[in-house]
Amino acid sequence: SQQGEEDPQALSIQEGENATMNCSYKTSINNLQWYRQNSGRGLVHLILIRSNEREKHSGRLRVTLDTSKKSSSLLITASRAADTASYFCGREEEETSGSRLTFGEGTQLTVNP
Amino acid sequence: DAGITQSPRHKVTETGTPVTLRCHQTENHRYMYWYRQDPGHGLRLIHYSYGVKDTDKGEVSDGYSVSRSKTEDFLLTLESATSSQTSVYFCAISETGGVLGELFFGEGSRLTVL
């Protein structure tokens, strides 16, 4: 099993709106990373948040982490058509060796111009 | 862009044949990974390596083997390909194993097993 989920599975918004994607997990984590995947391409790293952090920003991206709820969210503000992609969270889980990330199914974001 | 090259990028093969996918990096990163991506399953880890000749299984390792004889190359072998192994395979590398840093992904190898 994936030991976690991103939701929603698909999200369609208009340009200029904000997009929020969520990631939940079942075991304790050391860190959590968000990645983006354009159609037919490999994943590209967006942002890493450690288990002792609650919020991080990078440009139009804002990531939050709530370890008590075992969840994280990725907010993309003022979305653009170029933000259309799939977004994945990768979790480094405490129970596995500290060298691997576990991914879920991702959220497919479509930003309509 | 991180220097990761996957080959072949596309392959069609028949059930029962062996297949080897190659991942080559020019970054001298210690960690290398093979994931497969399938609709409805996201990315799942097949095998990974934490050094030359040091490998370990991921969550979907059955039917796959790996080898890493040099820092720069990580080979994934399907010993006898089955239709269930039709997928897109991604190689990733990391300097720190994901603990403090990011994974860099290749462009993927699309494998079709008939």
Side-chain angles (χ1 to χ4, degrees), chain A residues 42-85:
Chain A
L43 278 70
V44 175
H45 180 263
L46 295 175
I47 198 163
L48 179 153
I49 187 164
R50 297 191 179 96
S51 60
N52 62 352
E53 297 175 314
R54 292 295 167 259
E55 186 171 314
K56 286 191 81 168
H57 296 256
S58 176
R60 293 184 296 113
L61 306 180
R62 173 177 170 251
V63 169
T64 61
L65 178 64
D66 186 335
T67 53
S68 67
K69 295 181 179 178
K70 291 187 166 57
S71 68
S72 174
S73 66
L74 169 67
L75 168 68
I76 304 174
T77 60
S79 64
R80 305 166 182 169
D83 293 327
T84 294

Coordinates of all heavy atoms in Angstrom, one line a residue, chain A residues 42-85:
Chain A
G42 N 9.8 13.6 -15.8 CA 10.1 13.1 -14.4 C 9.7 14.1 -13.4 O 9.2 15.2 -13.7
L43 N 9.8 13.7 -12.1 CA 9.3 14.5 -11.0 C 10.4 15.6 -10.7 O 11.6 15.3 -10.9 CB 9.1 13.7 -9.7 CG 7.8 13.1 -9.6 CD1 7.6 11.9 -10.6 CD2 7.6 12.6 -8.2
V44 N 10.0 16.8 -10.3 CA 10.9 17.8 -10.0 C 10.6 18.3 -8.6 O 9.4 18.5 -8.2 CB 10.7 19.0 -11.0 CG1 11.6 20.2 -10.5 CG2 11.1 18.6 -12.4
H45 N 11.6 18.4 -7.8 CA 11.4 18.8 -6.4 C 11.0 20.2 -6.2 O 11.5 21.1 -6.9 CB 12.8 18.6 -5.7 CG 12.8 19.0 -4.2 ND1 13.2 20.2 -3.7 CD2 12.4 18.3 -3.1 CE1 13.0 20.2 -2.4 NE2 12.6 19.0 -2.0
L46 N 10.0 20.5 -5.3 CA 9.5 21.8 -5.1 C 10.0 22.3 -3.7 O 10.5 23.4 -3.6 CB 8.0 21.8 -5.1 CG 7.3 21.5 -6.5 CD1 5.8 21.4 -6.3 CD2 7.7 22.5 -7.5
I47 N 9.7 21.5 -2.7 CA 10.0 22.1 -1.3 C 10.1 20.9 -0.3 O 9.4 19.9 -0.5 CB 8.9 23.1 -0.9 CG1 9.3 23.9 0.2 CG2 7.6 22.4 -0.6 CD1 8.5 25.2 0.4
L48 N 10.9 21.0 0.7 CA 11.1 20.0 1.7 C 10.7 20.7 3.0 O 11.1 21.8 3.3 CB 12.5 19.5 1.8 CG 12.9 18.5 2.8 CD1 14.1 17.7 2.3 CD2 13.3 19.1 4.1
I49 N 10.0 19.9 3.8 CA 9.6 20.4 5.2 C 10.0 19.3 6.2 O 9.6 18.2 6.0 CB 8.1 20.9 5.3 CG1 7.9 21.5 6.6 CG2 7.2 19.7 5.0 CD1 6.5 22.3 6.7
R50 N 10.7 19.7 7.2 CA 11.1 18.7 8.2 C 10.0 18.5 9.2 O 9.2 19.4 9.4 CB 12.4 19.2 8.9 CG 13.6 19.3 7.9 CD 14.9 19.5 8.6 NE 16.0 19.5 7.7 CZ 16.5 20.7 7.2 NH1 16.0 21.8 7.6 NH2 17.5 20.6 6.3
S51 N 10.1 17.4 10.0 CA 9.1 17.1 10.9 C 8.9 18.1 12.1 O 7.9 18.2 12.7 CB 9.3 15.7 11.5 OG 10.5 15.6 12.2
N52 N 10.0 18.9 12.3 CA 9.9 19.9 13.4 C 9.5 21.3 12.9 O 9.6 22.3 13.6 CB 11.2 20.0 14.2 CG 12.4 20.4 13.3 OD1 12.3 20.5 12.1 ND2 13.5 20.6 13.9
E53 N 9.2 21.3 11.6 CA 8.7 22.6 11.0 C 7.2 22.5 10.8 O 6.7 21.5 10.6 CB 9.5 22.8 9.7 CG 11.0 23.0 9.9 CD 11.7 23.1 8.5 OE1 11.4 22.4 7.6 OE2 12.6 24.0 8.4
R54 N 6.6 23.7 10.8 CA 5.2 23.7 10.6 C 4.8 24.4 9.3 O 3.7 24.1 8.8 CB 4.5 24.5 11.8 CG 4.6 23.7 13.1 CD 3.9 22.4 13.0 NE 4.2 21.6 14.2 CZ 5.1 20.5 14.0 NH1 5.6 20.2 12.9 NH2 5.3 19.7 15.1
E55 N 5.6 25.3 8.8 CA 5.3 26.0 7.5 C 6.5 26.4 6.8 O 7.5 26.8 7.4 CB 4.4 27.2 7.9 CG 3.9 28.0 6.7 CD 2.9 29.0 7.2 OE1 2.0 28.7 8.0 OE2 3.0 30.2 6.7
K56 N 6.5 26.3 5.5 CA 7.6 26.8 4.7 C 7.0 27.5 3.4 O 6.0 27.1 2.9 CB 8.5 25.7 4.3 CG 9.4 25.2 5.4 CD 10.5 24.3 4.9 CE 11.7 25.1 4.3 NZ 12.8 24.2 4.1
H57 N 7.8 28.5 2.9 CA 7.3 29.2 1.8 C 8.4 29.2 0.7 O 9.6 29.1 1.0 CB 7.1 30.7 2.1 CG 5.9 30.9 3.0 ND1 4.7 31.3 2.7 CD2 5.9 30.7 4.4 CE1 3.9 31.4 3.7 NE2 4.6 31.0 4.8
S58 N 8.0 29.2 -0.5 CA 8.9 29.3 -1.6 C 8.2 29.9 -2.8 O 7.4 29.3 -3.5 CB 9.5 27.9 -2.1 OG 10.3 28.1 -3.2
G59 N 8.4 31.2 -3.0 CA 7.7 31.9 -4.1 C 6.2 31.9 -3.8 O 5.7 32.3 -2.8
R60 N 5.5 31.3 -4.8 CA 4.0 31.2 -4.7 C 3.6 29.9 -4.0 O 2.4 29.7 -3.9 CB 3.4 31.3 -6.1 CG 3.5 32.6 -6.8 CD 2.8 32.6 -8.1 NE 3.4 31.7 -9.1 CZ 2.7 30.6 -9.5 NH1 1.5 30.3 -9.1 NH2 3.3 29.8 -10.4
L61 N 4.5 29.2 -3.5 CA 4.2 27.9 -2.8 C 4.3 28.1 -1.3 O 5.1 28.8 -0.8 CB 5.2 26.8 -3.2 CG 5.4 26.6 -4.7 CD1 6.4 25.4 -4.8 CD2 4.1 26.2 -5.3
R62 N 3.3 27.5 -0.6 CA 3.3 27.5 0.8 C 2.9 26.0 1.3 O 1.9 25.5 0.8 CB 2.2 28.4 1.4 CG 2.0 28.3 2.9 CD 1.1 29.4 3.4 NE 0.7 29.2 4.8 CZ -0.5 28.7 5.2 NH1 -1.5 28.5 4.3 NH2 -0.8 28.6 6.4
V63 N 3.8 25.5 2.1 CA 3.6 24.1 2.6 C 3.4 24.2 4.1 O 4.1 24.9 4.8 CB 4.8 23.2 2.2 CG1 4.7 21.9 2.9 CG2 4.8 23.0 0.7
T64 N 2.4 23.4 4.6 CA 2.2 23.3 6.0 C 2.3 21.8 6.4 O 2.1 20.9 5.5 CB 0.9 23.8 6.5 OG1 -0.2 23.1 5.8 CG2 0.8 25.3 6.1
L65 N 2.7 21.6 7.6 CA 2.8 20.2 8.1 C 2.2 20.2 9.5 O 2.5 21.0 10.4 CB 4.3 19.8 8.2 CG 4.5 18.4 8.7 CD1 3.9 17.3 7.8 CD2 6.1 18.2 8.9
D66 N 1.3 19.2 9.7 CA 0.7 19.0 11.0 C 0.9 17.6 11.4 O 0.2 16.7 11.0 CB -0.8 19.3 10.9 CG -1.5 19.2 12.3 OD1 -1.0 18.6 13.2 OD2 -2.6 19.9 12.5
T67 N 1.9 17.4 12.2 CA 2.3 16.0 12.5 C 1.3 15.3 13.5 O 1.2 14.1 13.5 CB 3.7 15.9 13.2 OG1 3.7 16.9 14.3 CG2 4.8 16.3 12.2
S68 N 0.5 16.1 14.2 CA -0.5 15.5 15.1 C -1.6 14.9 14.2 O -2.2 13.9 14.6 CB -1.0 16.6 16.0 OG -1.8 17.6 15.4
K69 N -1.9 15.5 13.1 CA -2.9 15.0 12.2 C -2.3 14.2 11.1 O -3.1 13.7 10.2 CB -3.7 16.2 11.6 CG -4.5 17.0 12.6 CD -5.3 18.1 11.9 CE -6.1 18.9 13.0 NZ -6.9 20.0 12.3
K70 N -1.0 14.1 11.1 CA -0.3 13.3 10.0 C -0.8 13.8 8.6 O -1.2 13.0 7.8 CB -0.5 11.8 10.2 CG 0.2 11.2 11.4 CD 0.0 9.7 11.4 CE 1.0 9.1 12.4 NZ 0.8 9.5 13.8
S71 N -0.6 15.1 8.4 CA -1.0 15.6 7.1 C -0.2 16.9 6.8 O 0.3 17.5 7.6 CB -2.5 16.0 7.2 OG -2.7 17.1 8.1
S72 N -0.2 17.1 5.5 CA 0.5 18.3 4.9 C -0.3 18.8 3.8 O -1.1 18.1 3.2 CB 1.9 17.9 4.4 OG 2.5 18.9 3.7
S73 N -0.2 20.1 3.6 CA -0.9 20.7 2.5 C 0.1 21.6 1.7 O 1.0 22.2 2.2 CB -2.1 21.6 3.0 OG -1.6 22.7 3.7
L74 N -0.2 21.7 0.4 CA 0.6 22.5 -0.5 C -0.4 23.5 -1.1 O -1.4 23.1 -1.7 CB 1.2 21.7 -1.7 CG 1.8 22.5 -2.9 CD1 3.0 23.3 -2.4 CD2 2.1 21.5 -4.0
L75 N -0.1 24.8 -0.9 CA -0.9 25.9 -1.5 C -0.1 26.6 -2.6 O 1.0 27.0 -2.4 CB -1.3 26.9 -0.4 CG -1.9 28.2 -0.8 CD1 -3.3 28.0 -1.4 CD2 -2.0 29.2 0.4
I76 N -0.8 26.7 -3.7 CA -0.2 27.4 -4.8 C -1.1 28.7 -5.0 O -2.3 28.6 -5.3 CB -0.2 26.7 -6.2 CG1 0.6 25.3 -6.0 CG2 0.5 27.5 -7.3 CD1 0.5 24.4 -7.2
T77 N -0.5 29.8 -4.8 CA -1.3 31.1 -4.9 C -1.2 31.6 -6.3 O -0.2 31.4 -7.0 CB -0.8 32.1 -3.9 OG1 0.6 32.4 -4.1 CG2 -0.9 31.6 -2.4
A78 N -2.3 32.4 -6.6 CA -2.3 33.1 -7.9 C -1.9 32.1 -9.0 O -0.9 32.4 -9.8 CB -1.5 34.3 -7.9
S79 N -2.6 31.0 -9.2 CA -2.2 30.0 -10.1 C -2.1 30.5 -11.6 O -2.8 31.4 -12.0 CB -3.1 28.8 -10.0 OG -4.4 29.2 -10.4
R80 N -1.3 29.8 -12.3 CA -1.1 30.1 -13.7 C -1.3 28.8 -14.6 O -1.2 27.7 -14.0 CB 0.4 30.6 -14.0 CG 0.7 31.8 -13.1 CD 2.2 32.0 -13.1 NE 2.6 33.1 -12.3 CZ 3.9 33.4 -11.9 NH1 4.9 32.6 -12.4 NH2 4.2 34.4 -11.1
A81 N -1.6 29.0 -15.8 CA -1.8 27.8 -16.7 C -0.6 26.9 -16.6 O -0.7 25.7 -16.7 CB -2.1 28.3 -18.1
A82 N 0.6 27.5 -16.5 CA 1.8 26.7 -16.5 C 2.0 25.9 -15.2 O 2.8 25.0 -15.1 CB 3.0 27.6 -16.6
D83 N 1.1 26.1 -14.2 CA 1.1 25.3 -13.0 C 0.4 23.9 -13.2 O 0.4 23.0 -12.4 CB 0.4 26.0 -11.8 CG 1.2 27.2 -11.4 OD1 2.5 27.2 -11.5 OD2 0.6 28.2 -11.0
T84 N -0.2 23.8 -14.4 CA -0.9 22.5 -14.7 C 0.1 21.4 -14.7 O 1.1 21.4 -15.4 CB -1.6 22.6 -16.1 OG1 -2.7 23.5 -16.0 CG2 -2.1 21.2 -16.5
A85 N -0.1 20.4 -13.8 CA 0.8 19.3 -13.6 C 0.2 18.4 -12.6 O -0.8 18.6 -12.0 CB 2.2 19.8 -13.1

